[in-house]
Amino acid sequence: MNAFLKKEIRLLLPSWILGLGATFLVFFYQNDPNYHSGFRMLVNAAPMFLIPAMVLMMALDSFGRELSAATFSNLLTQPISRRRIWRTKTFLLAAAILIIWLTLWCALLGNKNIVFKPEEFRYVFLTTVLFAVSLGSGGLWTTLLLRQVAAAFWFTLLVPAILLVPILSLQEKYPASTVPALVIVLSLYSVAGFLFARRLFLRAQDVQWTGGIIALPEFRRWGKSESVLLTKRIWRPRTALFVKEFQLHQSQFVMAGVLALFHLGVIFLRKFIGTFGSAGVEFIYQNFWVLWFVMPLLVGCAAVAEERKLGTLESQLCLPVRRRTQFFVKFFSTILFSIVLSQAMPLLLEGFRIVPDIEWKFAEELAKYDPELPNAEQILGLAKVLQFMRPLLPLLVPLGIAAVIAVVSFYASTMARNTLQSLAPAVLGIFVTFTLLVSASEVERLFPFPLWRGGLIYLIGVPAMTVMIFLLMYWNFKRVWIDGKVLRRNGFVFVGSLAFVIGITTAIFHRAWEFLSPLEPAHGPARLRSTDSVTLQNLGQAITIQLPDGKIWSAIFEPSAPNLMTMLSGNWKMKPLFGGGKFLEATNWASVALSYQGMFGVQNDGSLWASEKPRERSTPETPALVRLGADNDWKAVSGHFPWAFFLKRDGTLWRLNRKSWLRKTPWPGIQAFEMQRLGTNSDWAEISQIEWRTAFRKEDGQTWVQGAASETNSVKLDEDIFISRAERLDGLKSSAWFWSQFGDPGRFQIAVGQNGKLLLASDLRVGTQRFDLAQPRIQLGDESNWLTVTGGGETLITLKSDGSLWKWSFTDDPVAKPDSAVAVRFGKHSDWIAIADEFGGVTSLAADGSLWFWQFDSRYFSRGDEMIPPLLSASRKPQLIGNVFDAPRVP
């Protein structure tokens, strides 16, 4: 291979590599409605923009790099015929585009998620071929004619669009002739452009474009005032530098004027033609203003690279002005010009029609800040300011996008020797930047272990990477000559900074400082034994502990309202509504339940007790319990949402009828409501709480669960109460639901049998939305000394008979591979008596009577579009709720 051919390959190689890499993204295209994310959307959309952009860049590179590097005259004086030069350049360009096109189609046909209908296949095939040929041909003739890359860039894009719009506008009237017309027009344009480019090159002279230099006109008054300023010798270095920057970007201003003329034409056609008969043409006409976002790219790429090409950067650095002053004037001029051209111009032409409709709820979240917490006055004041600024948010989003494009392009310009050389790295940098910005908070989709969640990465990464980019830009700006050493140093610094951000974010998110101190405080002397019949229940917002002597300790907790502190810390504290827990009056309680109707309890003598008033969220204390009725044959009470259920000793089910009370009317008192029997059966033996539903067990062992009329084998107890047969719960001591991400993702019910074995009782598959009974039940692990199981979400905790806690994890589908279930010791103590799930975590009772809360899911109270996810993971340290033996009685 001779030196000339190697040189030609090097001209196309950077853009070709980027274009080829973009085609491989098509292999990862997915169109799963259950798997939408910001990162997935970028991966799906990136090839649509990167591949055409790189094909265009290759077409411009073929002769544009020669013109930008001032080697075009040397090319013409080589001892090689021009025809041979032309054949070499065009054949290499055609081969590069053909390889990208073939790779694209291999990806399209090899991806099972992409299926074409016969008519769609033909349309996409023709579109890609004509698009590639027209871009290649257009890039050749525009570069050779205009001899300026920025102008060639715009004409290569706009000329085919102008030719296609009239044809697509007639699609509704002549649908059968649209495709042939497109093929003919683009084919003729491509052939004509290729022949015209060949003619231009074969007759090319070593002179610039005869049309003159693209520059804004000068006015006599401006020239006169300039001479006066020079005579008076008034030194204004920043003004002079700004004027120089304005002159440097005159070609971009001229191109913006041409684009404005086209935009006015589009507005004129849109106003007087109305509909265009084609969805594609309608989309182009309605969103033509998006092309203005290309201006920050061109302005930023020319900021420093054009100075190096013209040879004026070295002279500028020798001026008696501080280099940092020169850098900041150049940088802010670039940002100013980019915003004016990309935001002010489309707003001036289109008005507020193009302003995106964006909801901003951060101000409302700040307004929820607890006034009793520190700095409440400042936080609430900030919320008011943000509410006042809320109308400006739709303008800030596109402005921020334009600023990011300008900054990335400016950075690419500081590492290039000419404008064309900086375009491809700038396009790649813009894609990488927006990929990181959009997908950084979704890193758990890329790694099996969540490095972080939420916006912590932005609070750390955006400032750190911004400072790093600014330092690199300033360092590059001071270099007149850019070589491989400069590029390698930029790469090392960028990768090192990114690794530092990832490392520090991961360490902060996972609370690395907690390893510096003991995770679990020491427990006191044991006052309970594992053989004692201690019952721990979490009933909604109430925790109840029934001791062997009939005492019941209860505490009602209301999670703190989400505010700035909880969002930033990723932690939340429970607010005890009555002093951290107290014993209920009397010592002969059989069961207690809390529902939206109030608190209810049954004593061993069969009497039924209830709170006089329903508990309000703002009530600081639980109201005292009063006797309800005179019957002494009650056996148990259970329930949470929306009713409490009562079981009599004769096996009948009852509930409190409150339908006659309207919430807007005064509370008539608990005695005003009557008991209502449910169903006709009298063989019920037990009722208990399972998550938010009540389970009913008959004397023959059959288990029924509160459900809906649509569930299988449902039985109607009342007009609004249904129960369903739950064979999966027969003969089990305790059970809990667990979400698994392996195999077919679903919800599994893990239970402890009467023999102490841990069983997979049933699973609910997402795809089927029904229960699939695992018969026979699958045992997890080999041990048979489990007492109870609890958990929620992706966490499963079990309690052994030796008082130790164990946390389970699954490396595969537990139904297909039960051996994939692995239990790891959780906590260092072995004096636990009982456990229950609560608020995305687990509460555990120790032998000394202390009650602890382990938080596993810090997102529990940050779900929904209106919430901001917490920035830190759940703490490994348990929170002490209280000690049952230190609690007074409820008055």
Side-chain angles (χ1 to χ4, degrees):
M1 184 182 296
N2 56 38
F4 173 68
L5 186 59
K6 292 180 179 179
K7 187 264 296 183
E8 294 300 325
I9 293 177
R10 285 197 298 269
L11 292 179
L12 303 179
L13 191 60
S15 299
W16 181 79
I17 292 176
L18 294 179
L20 191 64
T23 58
F24 284 100
L25 293 177
V26 180
F27 283 104
F28 302 98
Y29 176 86
Q30 289 187 3
N31 192 22
D32 187 358
N34 297 322
Y35 193 65
H36 283 318
S37 65
F39 177 74
R40 178 56 54 192
M41 293 173 61
L42 279 175
V43 171
N44 292 345
M48 300 174 57
F49 299 97
L50 285 180
I51 295 176
M54 292 303 104
V55 171
L56 173 59
M57 290 305 305
M58 285 192 298
L60 297 177
D61 285 343
S62 186
F63 286 102
R65 283 183 176 269
E66 303 275 10
L67 295 169
S68 299
T71 59
F72 187 70
S73 58
N74 296 333
L75 177 67
L76 300 179
T77 58
Q78 294 297 316
I80 306 174
S81 65
R82 292 195 180 187
R83 295 179 184 274
R84 182 182 173 186
I85 296 174
W86 173 257
R87 287 196 301 269
T88 302
K89 283 185 172 291
T90 54
F91 284 163
L92 283 177
L93 177 62
I97 295 177
L98 180 62
I99 292 174
I100 291 179
W101 183 83
L102 291 176
T103 308
L104 172 63
W105 273 99
C106 289
L108 290 174
L109 298 177
N111 193 331
K112 298 181 180 180
N113 296 315
I114 302 176
V115 180
F116 290 116
K117 297 179 181 178
E119 59 275 10
E120 293 177 344
F121 181 87
R122 174 171 169 265
Y123 178 78
V124 175
F125 183 87
L126 290 175
T127 301
T128 54
V129 170
L130 294 175
F131 199 81
V133 174
S134 61
L135 280 183
S137 173
L140 290 175
W141 75 261
T142 54
T143 305
L144 291 170
L145 176 65
L146 302 175
R147 305 275 183 103
Q148 292 191 3
V149 177
F153 177 88
W154 280 114
F155 277 92
T156 305
L157 287 178
L158 295 177
V159 172
I162 295 173
L163 295 175
L164 292 179
V165 166
I167 299 174
L168 295 176
S169 301
L170 301 176
Q171 182 177 2
E172 186 177 2
K173 295 183 179 180
Y174 309 99
S177 59
T178 301
V179 175
L182 289 175
V183 174
I184 294 173
V185 170
L186 287 182
S187 299
L188 291 177
Y189 167 75
S190 301
V191 173
F194 180 82
L195 297 177
F196 183 50
R198 182 176 182 274
R199 177 184 176 87
L200 288 173
F201 177 71
L202 295 179
R203 298 188 178 187
Q205 300 295 324
D206 187 17
V207 294
Q208 293 293 332
W209 178 45
T210 56
I213 299 175
I214 298 180
L216 296 177
E218 295 185 0
F219 296 94
R220 295 182 179 180
R221 184 173 299 177
W222 288 9
K224 182 178 179 180
S225 60
E226 183 179 357
S227 62
V228 172
L229 291 176
L230 291 176
T231 303
K232 294 182 178 180
R233 296 182 63 84
I234 299 177
W235 299 102
R236 300 181 184 274
R238 294 179 181 82
T239 304
L241 291 173
F242 180 80
V243 172
K244 179 189 72 70
E245 295 300 321
F246 186 85
Q247 294 174 344
L248 178 67
H249 294 289
Q250 286 186 79
S251 59
Q252 279 73 39
F253 289 127
V254 173
M255 291 300 103
V258 175
L259 183 60
L261 292 177
F262 279 109
H263 199 161
L264 289 173
V266 168
I267 294 174
F268 177 82
L269 293 176
R270 193 171 63 210
K271 182 176 181 180
F272 289 95
I273 294 180
T275 59
F276 298 90
S278 171
V281 177
E282 189 73 26
F283 178 81
I284 293 174
Y285 271 79
Q286 295 295 333
N287 298 278
F288 186 86
W289 60 272
V290 177
L291 283 177
W292 287 100
F293 278 101
V294 181
M295 293 308 304
L297 172 67
L298 300 179
V299 172
C301 288
V304 180
E306 195 69 12
E307 295 264 22
R308 289 198 179 100
K309 173 191 172 183
L310 299 175
T312 59
L313 182 60
E314 184 175 5
S315 302
Q316 178 179 338
L317 296 177
C318 296
L319 293 175
V321 183
R322 292 178 179 177
R323 291 187 177 182
R324 63 172 178 265
T325 302
Q326 299 180 35
F327 171 77
F328 282 112
V329 169
K330 180 177 286 292
F331 176 77
F332 286 113
S333 299
T334 302
I335 300 297
L336 177 62
F337 298 154
S338 299
I339 292 176
V340 169
L341 294 179
S342 65
Q343 300 301 305
M345 289 299 296
L347 281 175
L348 181 64
L349 297 172
E350 294 280 1
F352 286 91
R353 183 186 71 85
I354 63 175
V355 175
D357 185 13
I358 300 176
E359 295 184 5
W360 192 24
K361 299 182 178 180
F362 184 61
E364 285 85 344
E365 295 305 317
L366 290 180
K368 297 178 181 179
Y369 191 83
D370 193 341
E372 299 179 359
L373 292 177
N375 303 320
E377 184 177 352
Q378 292 82 352
I379 298 298
L380 296 176
L382 177 61
K384 295 180 180 179
V385 173
L386 294 177
Q387 284 282 16
F388 177 77
M389 296 176 57
R390 187 171 183 172
L392 298 177
L393 178 66
L395 297 176
L396 295 178
V397 172
L399 188 145
I401 295 175
V404 170
I405 295 175
V407 171
V408 175
S409 303
F410 186 90
Y411 175 56
S413 180
T414 62
M415 296 188 297
R417 302 173 188 172
N418 52 69
T419 302
L420 183 60
Q421 196 179 58
S422 63
L423 282 175
V427 173
L428 177 63
I430 292 169
F431 171 72
V432 171
T433 301
F434 281 103
T435 300
L436 293 176
L437 289 175
V438 172
S439 61
S441 60
E442 302 174 351
V443 69
E444 66 269 15
R445 297 184 180 271
L446 301 178
F447 299 95
F449 177 74
L451 301 180
W452 60 80
R453 287 191 177 106
L456 180 64
I457 183 66
Y458 300 117
L459 294 180
I460 298 175
V462 172
M465 298 301 290
T466 301
V467 172
M468 181 271 300
I469 291 294
F470 268 94
L471 293 177
L472 286 179
M473 286 191 299
Y474 180 61
W475 187 79
N476 296 335
F477 169 75
K478 297 185 293 182
R479 266 69 187 163
V480 177
W481 180 255
I482 298 296
D483 55 8
K485 182 179 179 180
V486 174
L487 299 181
R488 286 193 297 271
R489 180 170 295 184
N490 278 264
F492 291 149
V493 173
F494 180 84
V495 173
S497 301
L498 191 61
F500 170 78
V501 169
I502 292 175
I504 197 68
T505 303
T506 303
I508 293 176
F509 178 79
H510 291 284
R511 302 172 181 264
W513 60 86
E514 290 187 348
F515 291 104
L516 302 178
S517 59
L519 297 180
E520 296 181 62
H523 292 178
R527 303 178 67 176
L528 295 171
R529 295 174 299 176
S530 59
T531 57
D532 294 336
S533 57
V534 178
T535 303
L536 170 63
Q537 296 185 78
N538 287 331
L539 307 175
Q541 295 167 336
I543 299 175
T544 61
I545 299 175
Q546 184 173 355
L547 300 180
D549 57 2
K551 296 179 181 179
I552 287 186
W553 181 92
S554 181
I556 299 177
F557 290 94
E558 179 77 20
S560 299
N563 52 55
L564 183 64
M565 301 305 295
T566 57
M567 290 186 292
L568 293 179
S569 66
N571 195 6
W572 54 273
K573 301 292 183 181
M574 289 183 171
K575 274 196 303 190
L577 293 188
F578 59 99
K582 296 181 181 181
F583 281 110
L584 299 182
E585 281 293 337
T587 59
N588 58 345
W589 294 101
S591 65
V592 172
L594 179 74
S595 75
Y596 286 89
Q597 296 175 319
M599 192 174 224
F600 301 91
V602 174
Q603 295 188 2
N604 292 329
D605 60 0
S607 60
L608 179 62
W609 297 73
S611 54
E612 177 62 26
K613 295 182 178 180
R615 188 181 65 86
E616 302 292 341
R617 291 182 178 269
S618 58
T619 303
E621 294 184 358
T622 299
L625 301 182
V626 297
R627 179 76 180 267
L628 184 61
D631 295 341
N632 288 311
D633 57 348
W634 298 104
K635 182 179 181 180
V637 58
S638 180
H640 167 45
F641 177 81
W643 310 280
F645 296 96
F646 307 93
L647 174 65
K648 279 193 173 185
R649 293 175 179 175
D650 59 1
T652 57
L653 286 178
W654 298 75
R655 76 161 177 173
L656 192 65
N657 187 358
R658 285 179 50 183
K659 296 181 181 179
S660 59
W661 174 62
L662 300 177
R663 290 188 176 273
K664 296 182 179 180
T665 60
W667 174 252
I670 195 67
Q671 304 292 345
F673 302 100
E674 298 179 355
M675 281 291 177
Q676 175 187 357
R677 183 174 176 179
L678 299 176
T680 58
N681 292 72
S682 57
D683 56 349
W684 299 106
E686 182 184 349
I687 57 176
S688 60
Q689 188 73 24
I690 300 180
E691 292 186 329
W692 57 273
R693 302 199 291 184
T694 300
F696 309 87
R697 183 166 285 118
K698 288 188 176 182
E699 294 177 353
D700 58 2
Q702 290 187 6
T703 304
W704 296 71
V705 177
Q706 175 190 355
S710 59
E711 294 188 8
T712 307
N713 299 327
S714 63
V715 174
K716 183 177 181 180
L717 295 182
D718 194 21
E719 59 181 359
D720 52 358
I721 299 179
F722 297 84
I723 58 174
S724 302
R725 180 74 173 94
E727 298 178 4
R728 62 190 183 278
L729 298 179
D730 292 346
L732 299 179
K733 291 197 299 184
S734 64
S735 65
W737 287 105
F738 171 77
W739 279 100
S740 173
Q741 58 180 338
F742 297 99
D744 183 8
R747 200 178 184 207
F748 298 90
Q749 190 170 36
I750 312 296
V752 175
Q754 297 294 338
N755 54 5
K757 295 182 179 181
L758 191 65
L759 307 173
L760 195 157
S762 63
D763 63 292
L764 173 62
R765 297 293 175 164
V766 174
T768 59
Q769 286 297 314
R770 63 182 178 85
F771 285 107
D772 295 328
L773 298 181
Q775 298 290 345
R777 291 167 175 167
I778 301 173
Q779 182 177 353
L780 302 179
D782 301 327
E783 299 176 273
S784 58
N785 55 348
W786 301 108
L787 292 180
T788 184
V789 59
T790 189
E794 301 175 359
T795 305
L796 191 69
I797 302 295
T798 53
L799 173 63
K800 268 187 179 181
S801 57
D802 61 0
S804 60
L805 296 178
W806 296 77
K807 186 176 181 180
W808 290 79
S809 62
F810 297 84
T811 58
D812 208 328
D813 186 357
V815 176
K817 297 182 179 180
D819 295 338
S820 64
V822 179
V824 179
R825 179 73 179 271
F826 180 70
K828 66 178 183 179
H829 297 292
S830 299
D831 59 347
W832 301 108
I833 303 299
I835 56 175
D837 68 291
E838 179 75 9
F839 299 126
V842 168
T843 53
S844 55
L845 177 65
D848 63 348
S850 59
L851 190 64
W852 301 83
F853 174 72
W854 308 78
Q855 185 184 12
F856 298 129
D857 189 359
S858 60
R859 301 169 295 173
Y860 191 85
F861 295 104
S862 300
R863 294 173 179 170
D865 296 335
E866 72 281 357
M867 302 300 297
I868 298 177
L871 303 182
L872 300 183
S873 65
S875 176
R876 300 175 184 84
K877 294 184 177 183
Q879 300 178 32
L880 178 62
I881 297 177
N883 192 301
V884 298
F885 297 108
D886 298 335
R889 297 188 181 280
V890 176

